[in-house]
């Protein structure tokens, strides 16, 4: 180096880290001392990599935390981008504006001679420079990876001062471009580990399950210089002295581990200096041809993608909240998790072992922003970054290797492709040949073991299954490659984008996963909305003072930011139940789709009364006659006893036979209209009573985010054949509706005729500047003291595009909470392609509770097949074809204009919409649009409503 070359600033260094780095090891429970340094630290922040002003006073901050989540924004704000880097793509450089914090804390210590001491950090975003007692001990990169530094030489008797300088941006940020908030800080634990002289440095217990004998085999790898090490598994009566770094111990008959029956055994490893305890599970993971097997049986992954997220703490781990989330997953029949897109806090992995999930553990790696530069200079294929890639893979695999829940290692996410990824995979294959390697970006399958895709439409899944690639010309030369891929197991590592209202068409996906032989299921994107609690609302990207952001795209979960399950989660739970029920003419077919475990833990009820179903082994079905009672009892499958994740009585499946029920006949005849009734119908032929008014026609809904976004193709612009795998570009639903001005329908009264027995009105609704219209006939009559409305809507032939809905809207005065009872589908909202959780019953609630508080206000609350609706002053009965209903305090345009529900104005009106039809929901916010079967093309419709006011 010539003397005038400036030294590389750590911020721009590609080195994975510096200092006395301890080779990566497992996260283990040990009897050796662990000193937590979590708690209050001194803190100050500066604007550039030069750090805070040396004279600036110290403030205090909690460790772990993110400084941008401190109250009152005093240390800056969070920033959300999906793909884009928040700075120029100029690796390894980052802008001069680089928030840099100094953390300091002191602690008393008494080092003991002969022992070594490691400083362990579990997560610092993004680059940390660590000094102890004024001496530099090293730099740590890899924001969500553990790092240990040997600090033995720097520790002193008495008071010690630890300084950590954290730069928000560094060269390593280029490897951490996941779709999430940018949240700098020391956000996981900081500890000092005592390493006793002669201790056990690392352990790997691989617990294999012999499918033929049912025996367990422990393959043990030890890093210590102090033998013997005694291994014991008290429950199995096993005690073995181990004298060498590796050992194979047969332990006789064991119960295997699976996500359904997560049987764990406590293992102790002890030598004269240290005792380590861990929990292991016996299972064998294999790939045979296109089958991915655990314990000899094909996996069916019914999974979700899980980020570390808490609405107040960001990515700081909150054990109670995380466990509650996992229990909610179990209760929703979810059996698999992909750690997107970095390893979580290590305690979470242990929870997955214990509660039972098939886990794909993923490395902290994403370079998605290079895609926007056509992948030029992508680190994944640049030799200068190779060490950083290999360091990351080693650190994440070594930390988590003991966990039975992990059934595959994932190299990262959306990082293009290249030699460094291939090298990571080769490293894993050499280190852990017993678990397959996953990486979605290896589309050609050149260095990974599982064919993985995201947001692939069903016909694309069919094509891959048949050895056919995307039907676009540039892929044709790889036809041979696709034939080879069809010999491998396939998953969708992401599908069904759960943003806002949706996702739709989960049932179709589940059917494809269950029938196409190579497919093993998938992981819904994603588990939880990442809204940050700010006063009375949850904030997303555009709520902060940043120059640009990806808005509400950070809220795309099955669970809302506050932890409330969304209707999409209920729909998913109903579709992926491991105990599906089918009822046909009172014959109930029960199937056990569990990987493991019979049905003896379950109770079967019809309308709350238990009935017998034979105990079924996995894969078995039985047909039983439903017990007597009403025509369509609600049949439930419930837990008999409490489990670790749900109380006794928790419902796994609900089903009902509905096909047989005939619509109730429309009352005939007409009695002379009473004067009171006649007076309630105004000159235009509309009801104008004090408690109910209307109706007017509506063809519009407040667009969902699936309606608004159009990055993916649609089935509206071409045949399914043409859309295979990719989709045909086209405007969004919302653009189509707005272009047709469905939100601006104007009304003209064509006629109103009054006789003794009826009032007949004909209204024409049409958008401005259009010659397309819908004629609505309203016929009012009276039968048995009930006011009857027979309504019909008939469009002319000038309509060219889809509608959002075909509905009649009434209004009611809003004077406060409105109790509602209805006989129809419920309990939750449901749409034509998202209705699996709905069943027919009598439900009751409060009107404001009928709407889901999505991160962005949008269409919500529709419930199909209404029979009767009872409000304090109105009873409404439907006859003939049953409409759906929704009841909401704001009209569609008001809802569509709001960015947060907290912005919606006080309302003096309830809007009751009775829909003959709604357009499907789909998942086009990131994935396929509404399937053709759920399109609402212009059509006519009829309503027959009985009113008692
Ligand atoms: C995928 C990505 C996820 C997330 C999702 C959209 O492309 O892997 O991290 O961005 O799309 O929400
Ligand atoms: Mg991405």
């Amino acid at each position: 180096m010539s003397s005038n070359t400036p030294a590389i600033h750590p911020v721009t260094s590609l080195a994975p880290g510096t200092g006395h780095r301890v080779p990566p090891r497992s996260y283990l429970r040990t009897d050796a001392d662990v000193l937590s340094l979590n708690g209050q630290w001194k803190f100050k922040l500066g604007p550039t990599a030069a750090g805070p002003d040396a004279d600036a006073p110290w403030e205090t901050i909690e460790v772990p935390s993110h400084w941008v989540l401190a109250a009152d924004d005093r240390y800056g704000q969070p920033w959300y981008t999906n793909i884009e880097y928040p700075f120029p793509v100029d690796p390894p450089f980052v802008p001069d504006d680089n928030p840099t914090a100094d953390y300091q804390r002191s602690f008393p210590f008494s080092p003991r001679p002969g022992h070594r001491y490691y400083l362990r950090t579990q997560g610092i975003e993004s680059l940390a420079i660590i000094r102890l007692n004024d001496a530099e001990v090293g730099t740590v990169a890899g924001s969500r990876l553990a790092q240990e530094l040997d600090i033995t030489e720097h520790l002193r008797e008495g008071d010690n001062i630890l300084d950590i300088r954290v730069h928000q941006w560094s060269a390593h940020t280029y490897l951490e471009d996941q779709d999430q908030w940018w949240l700098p800080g020391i956000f996981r634990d900081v500890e000092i580990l005592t390493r006793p002289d002669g201790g056990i440095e690392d352990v790997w217990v691989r617990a294999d399950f012999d499918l033929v004998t049912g025996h367990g085999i422990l393959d043990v790898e030890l890093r210590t210089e102090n033998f013997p090490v005694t291994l014991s598994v008290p429950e199995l009566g096993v005690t073995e002295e181990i004298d060498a770094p590796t050992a194979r111990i047969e332990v006789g008959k064991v119960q295997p581990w699976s996500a359904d029956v997560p049987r764990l055994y406590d293992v102790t490893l002890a030598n004269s200096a240290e005792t380590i305890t861990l929990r292991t599970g016996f299972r064998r993971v294999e790939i045979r041809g296109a089958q991915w097997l655990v314990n000899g049986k094909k996996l069916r992954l019914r999974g979700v993608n899980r980020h570390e997220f808490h609405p107040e703490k960001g990515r700081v781990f909150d054990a109670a909240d995380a466990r509650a989330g996992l229990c909610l997953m179990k209760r929703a029949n979810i059996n698999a998790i992909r750690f997107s897109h970095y390893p979580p806090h290590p305690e979470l992995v242990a929870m997955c072992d214990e509660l039972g999930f098939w886990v794909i553990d993923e490395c902290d790696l994403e370079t998605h922003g290079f895609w926007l530069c056509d992948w030029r200079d992508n680190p994944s294929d640049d030799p200068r970054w190779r060490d950083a890639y290999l360091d990351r893979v080693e650190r994440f695999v070594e930390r988590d290797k003991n966990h039975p829940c992990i059934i595959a290692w994932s190299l990262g996410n959306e990082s293009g492709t290249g030699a460094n990824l291939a090298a990571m995979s080769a490293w894993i294959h050499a280190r852990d040949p017993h678990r397959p390697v996953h990486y979605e970006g290896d589309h050609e399958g050149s260095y990974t073991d599982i064919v993985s895709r995201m947001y692939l439409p069903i016909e694309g899944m069919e094509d891959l299954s048949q050895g056919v690639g995307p039907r676009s010309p540039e892929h044709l030369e790889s036809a041979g490659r696709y034939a080879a891929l069809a010999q491998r197991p396939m998953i969708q590592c992401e599908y069904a984008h759960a943003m806002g209202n949706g996702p739709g068409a989960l049932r179709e996906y589940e059917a494809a996963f269950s029938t196409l032989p190579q497919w093993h299921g998938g992981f819904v994107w994603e588990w939880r909305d990442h809204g940050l609690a700010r006063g009375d609302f949850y904030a997303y990207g555009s709520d902060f003072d940043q120059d640009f952001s990806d808005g509400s795209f950070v809220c795309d979960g099955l669970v809302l930011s506050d932890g409330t399950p969304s209707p999409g989660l209920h729909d998913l739970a109903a579709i992926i139940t491991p105990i599906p029920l089918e009822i046909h003419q009172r014959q109930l077919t029960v199937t056990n789709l569990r990987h493991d475990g019979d049905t003896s833990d379950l109770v079967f009820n019809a309308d709350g009364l238990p009935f017998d179903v034979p105990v079924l082994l996995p894969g078995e079905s039985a047909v039983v006659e439903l017990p007597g009672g009403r025509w369509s009892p609600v049949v439930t499958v419930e837990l008999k006893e409490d489990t670790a994740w749900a109380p006794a009585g928790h419902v796994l499946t609900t089903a009902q036979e509905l096909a047989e029920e005939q619509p109730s006949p429309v009352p005939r005849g007409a009695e002379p209209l009473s004067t009171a009734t006649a007076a309630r119908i105004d000159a235009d032929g509309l009801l104008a009573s004090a408690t109910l008014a209307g109706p007017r026609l509506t063809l519009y809904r407040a667009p969902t985010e699936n309606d608004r976004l159009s990055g993916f193709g649609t089935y509206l612009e071409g045949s399914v054949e043409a859309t295979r795998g990719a989709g045909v570009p086209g405007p969004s639903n919302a653009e189509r509706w707005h272009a047709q001005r469905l939100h601006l329908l104007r009304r003209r009264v064509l006629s109103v005729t009054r006789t003794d027995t009826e009032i007949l009105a004909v209204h024409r609704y049409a958008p401005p500047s259009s010659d397309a219209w819908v004629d609505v006939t309203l016929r009012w009559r009276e039968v048995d003291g009930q006011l009857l409305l027979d309504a019909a809507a008939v469009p002319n032939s000038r309509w060219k595009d889809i509608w959002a809905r075909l509905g009649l809207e009434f209004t009611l005065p809003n004077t406060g909470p409105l109790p509602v009872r209805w006989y129809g589908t419920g309990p939750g909202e449901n749409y034509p392609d998202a209705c699996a959780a709905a069943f027919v019953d009598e439900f009751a609630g409060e009107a404001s509770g009928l709407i889901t508080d999505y991160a962005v206000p949008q269409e919500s609350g529709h419930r199909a097949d209404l029979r009767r609706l009872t409000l304090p002053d109105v009873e409404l009965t439907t006859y003939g074809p049953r409409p759906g209903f929704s009841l909401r305090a704001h009209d569609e345009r008001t809802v569509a204009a709001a960015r947060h529900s907290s912005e919606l104005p006080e309302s003096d009106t309830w809007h009751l919409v009775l829909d003959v039809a709604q357009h499907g929901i789909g998942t086009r916010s990131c994935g396929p649009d509404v399937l053709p079967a759920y399109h609402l093309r212009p059509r006519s419709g009829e309503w027959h409503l009985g009113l008692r006011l």
Side-chain angles (χ1 to χ4, degrees), residues 82 178-179 307 338 341 366 368 413-414 454-455 494 497 525-526 553 556 926:
N82 169 9
Q178 292 93 343
D179 173 4
H307 267 283
R338 172 177 175 231
H341 302 297
E366 175 157 343
H368 206 174
N413 187 58
E414 298 185 319
M454 42 172 86
Y455 310 108
E494 294 176 29
H497 197 246
W525 187 267
E526 67 175 304
F553 211 64
D556 51 6
C926 185

